[in-house]
């Protein structure tokens, strides 16, 4: 994978323990910048990359899988911006925000988990929803909308990252949609 990172230009793969590979980064001269120690890594998005530490194993069908996954975000100096402790999905929402989900999927629905949002430039968690069933979330124009179910009750949220506050929290709604700047559509 090629990445436009100034002195760090290429992510690379190497064999580890004869089972699977690890990821690290080299510069354009081939010098190792970050040693290969991650079971998964993205290219740097600006100054940050999503990485995962863990242990590769092979199942009885000869397929590789990773156990004890620890996901997080590092900077180019390998500082942990989002601690490598989360067991599931991390993705960039914008150049300075990442979403971290813990829990598990059942039939395309997030079950019994948490959704956290980190501001990676500030280096801190700014938002969290716990417990329940996360039906969906949508990020657009500095807002996140979330529909969550707990004990047969639906809750919807709108969080404004510019103001770092909830604009709306409501129960009994089935859907919420961003339709414009400071405009949202609710469905009962």
């Amino acid at each position: 994978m090629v990445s436009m990172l100034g002195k760090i230009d290429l992510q690379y793969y190497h064999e580890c323990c004869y089972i699977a590979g690890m990821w690290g980064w080299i510069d354009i001269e081939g010098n190792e910048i970050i040693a290969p120690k991650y079971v998964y890594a993205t290219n740097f998005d600006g100054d940050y990359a999503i990485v995962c530490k863990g242990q590769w194993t092979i199942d009885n069908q000869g397929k590789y899988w990773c156990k004890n996954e620890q996901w997080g975000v590092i900077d180019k100096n390998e500082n942990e911006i989002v601690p490598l402790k989360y067991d599931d999905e991390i993705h960039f929402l914008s150049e300075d925000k990442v979403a971290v989900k813990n829990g598990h999927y059942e039939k395309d629905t997030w079950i019994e988990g948490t959704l956290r949002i980190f501001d990676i430039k500030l280096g801190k968690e700014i938002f969290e929803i716990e417990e329940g069933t996360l039906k969906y979330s949508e990020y657009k124009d500095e807002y996140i909308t979330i529909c969550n179910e707990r004990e047969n009750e639906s809750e919807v949220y709108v969080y404004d990252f510019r103001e770092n506050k909830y604009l709306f929290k409501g129960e009994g709604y089935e859907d919420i949609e961003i339709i414009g700047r400071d405009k949202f559509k609710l469905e009962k």
Side-chain angles (χ1 to χ4, degrees):
M1 288 186 213
V2 176
S3 169
M4 305 306 279
L5 300 172
K7 291 186 180 183
I8 303 174
D9 238 6
L10 182 68
Q11 206 171 14
Y12 78 105
Y13 175 91
H14 95 104
E15 292 300 315
C16 175
C17 302
Y18 307 105
I19 345 179
M22 304 298 270
W23 288 93
W25 289 265
I26 58 176
D27 66 17
I28 56 177
E29 284 87 37
N31 302 309
E32 185 175 273
I33 302 298
I34 297 176
K37 59 182 150 195
Y38 301 105
V39 296
Y40 176 83
T42 65
N43 278 320
F44 279 83
D45 186 352
D47 292 329
Y48 308 101
I50 296 169
V51 296
C52 179
K53 286 188 174 183
Q55 294 177 295
W56 284 114
T57 189
I58 193 164
D59 66 18
N60 58 5
Q61 298 174 351
K63 295 185 179 179
Y64 301 114
W65 62 283
C66 186
K67 62 181 184 177
N68 302 323
E69 292 178 358
Q70 298 174 315
W71 292 84
V73 176
I74 62 168
D75 66 13
K76 291 178 184 177
N77 295 315
E78 268 189 287
N79 298 310
E80 291 184 16
I81 306 304
V82 174
L84 275 73
K85 66 178 187 178
Y86 297 101
D87 62 3
D88 222 326
E89 185 178 333
I90 294 182
H91 62 274
F92 284 98
L93 296 173
S94 66
E95 67 181 39
D96 62 345
K97 294 186 183 55
V98 293
V100 178
K101 291 182 180 177
N102 272 333
H104 65 279
Y105 279 106
E106 286 180 18
K107 298 179 184 175
D108 298 327
T109 302
W110 197 253
I111 305 291
E112 298 172 358
T114 60
L115 171 67
R116 292 178 170 89
I117 307 296
F118 284 84
D119 186 312
I120 53 181
K121 291 195 179 185
L122 296 177
K124 68 179 189 173
E125 180 180 312
I126 58 172
F127 175 85
E128 177 181 13
I129 290 184
E130 290 188 57
E131 303 169 2
T133 300
L134 183 65
K135 287 174 64 178
Y136 69 85
S137 62
E138 175 187 21
Y139 180 80
K140 183 177 176 183
D141 298 328
E142 295 300 315
Y143 302 107
I144 190 165
T145 59
I146 296 148
C147 184
N148 199 28
E149 288 183 354
R150 295 180 208 210
E151 301 173 7
N152 299 324
E153 269 299 312
S154 279
E155 301 170 321
V156 294
Y157 305 88
V158 176
Y159 191 84
D160 183 338
F161 292 114
R162 293 170 303 168
E163 301 290 327
N164 289 322
K165 67 178 185 179
Y166 287 99
L167 296 179
F168 180 79
K169 291 183 192 180
E171 293 182 4
Y173 295 96
E174 295 297 317
D175 195 12
I176 187 165
E177 179 184 351
I178 300 169
I179 58 173
R181 192 76 163 164
D182 297 326
K183 294 180 184 175
F184 307 93
K185 178 179 157 186
L186 289 167
E187 180 182 316
K188 279 212 178 234

